[in-house]
Amino acid sequence: MKEIIIESKLNVYDNLEELPKEVVALMDQAAIARNNSYSPYSKFSVGAAILLDNNEIILGSNQENASYPSGLCAERTAIYYAGSQYPDAKIVRMAIIAGSKIHQTIHPIPPCGACRQAIAEYEVKQNSNIEIYFMGETGKVMRSHSLANLLPLIFDKAVL
Ligand code: THU
């Protein structure tokens, strides 16, 4: 038996002002997307904005359903729209902003496991990294250079 250690490296920014202007602009778009969140059940709203290499920006927000599992997260709403509208474009980065409508969310909110798996598919497909930035309503912002960095031991199509 041997032990392996898998490391993930993230950058933590104290606030939005520390980020490059184009990333702030994308996070602003994510905040706009979040306004369209339909989250009457969880009261937790999430917005995602994706920058494509053709300079299109794709927005998504979480959309819930009375049949709870039928809802979809903001990240997957956005990435599936990007994949269906611009199948040949590469995804450069994704910005995510999330927070509760009940209490203030001041910590960065990372994408859930299912969204990581969905984003991973596109990273493998396009053979280049997707940069991910995520935050709460205010406060620190975290950056991952790639999705793979957030999902060690990725399950990908190579094994099928
Ligand atoms: N949600 C997202 O939109 N993205 C995530 O990565 C985690 C969770 C949504 C799903 C649901 O509408 C609400 O947040 C609470 O889980």
Side-chain angles (χ1 to χ4, degrees):
M1 192 277 277
K2 71 171 182 177
E3 192 174 60
I4 58 166
I5 296 172
I6 301 174
E7 286 186 334
S8 289
K9 236 186 241 172
L10 291 150
N11 303 104
V12 184
Y13 301 83
D14 275 338
N15 51 53
L16 275 174
E17 286 79 63
E18 279 192 9
L19 292 165
K21 275 199 177 67
E22 68 268 23
V23 177
V24 176
L26 196 66
M27 195 57 90
D28 287 346
Q29 290 295 307
I32 290 170
R34 184 171 169 241
N35 292 331
N36 290 342
S37 161
Y38 176 64
S39 38
Y41 305 106
S42 72
K43 311 221 183 309
F44 191 80
S45 56
V46 186
I50 289 174
L51 174 69
L52 302 178
D53 68 350
N54 62 10
N55 283 326
E56 289 287 338
I57 291 180
I58 308 298
L59 305 184
S61 57
N62 56 328
Q63 299 294 315
E64 297 186 348
N65 192 283
S67 171
Y68 295 172
S70 302
L72 195 63
C73 292
E75 296 90 328
R76 275 177 287 163
T77 303
I79 209 156
Y80 290 149
Y81 184 84
S84 53
Q85 289 298 305
Y86 301 100
D88 300 323
K90 288 191 175 188
I91 296 162
V92 178
R93 70 176 62 96
M94 181 186 282
I96 306 158
I97 181 163
S100 168
K101 295 174 200 159
I102 299 162
H103 54 84
Q104 225 204 357
T105 304
I106 56 168
H107 301 295
I109 306 294
C112 76
C115 287
R116 292 183 207 197
Q117 180 65 31
I119 300 166
E121 182 74 24
Y122 292 87
E123 197 166 80
V124 170
K125 176 185 169 223
Q126 69 183 33
N127 196 27
S128 63
N129 68 296
I130 299 174
E131 201 183 11
I132 319 257
Y133 288 85
F134 52 93
M135 67 180 297
E137 280 167 297
T138 67
K140 294 190 194 316
V141 183
M142 294 186 94
R143 168 190 178 267
S144 176
H145 159 265
S146 64
L147 188 285
N149 180 56
L150 290 178
L151 190 64
L153 302 180
I154 189 176
F155 180 84
D156 91 68
K157 61 183 161 57
V159 301
L160 298 177

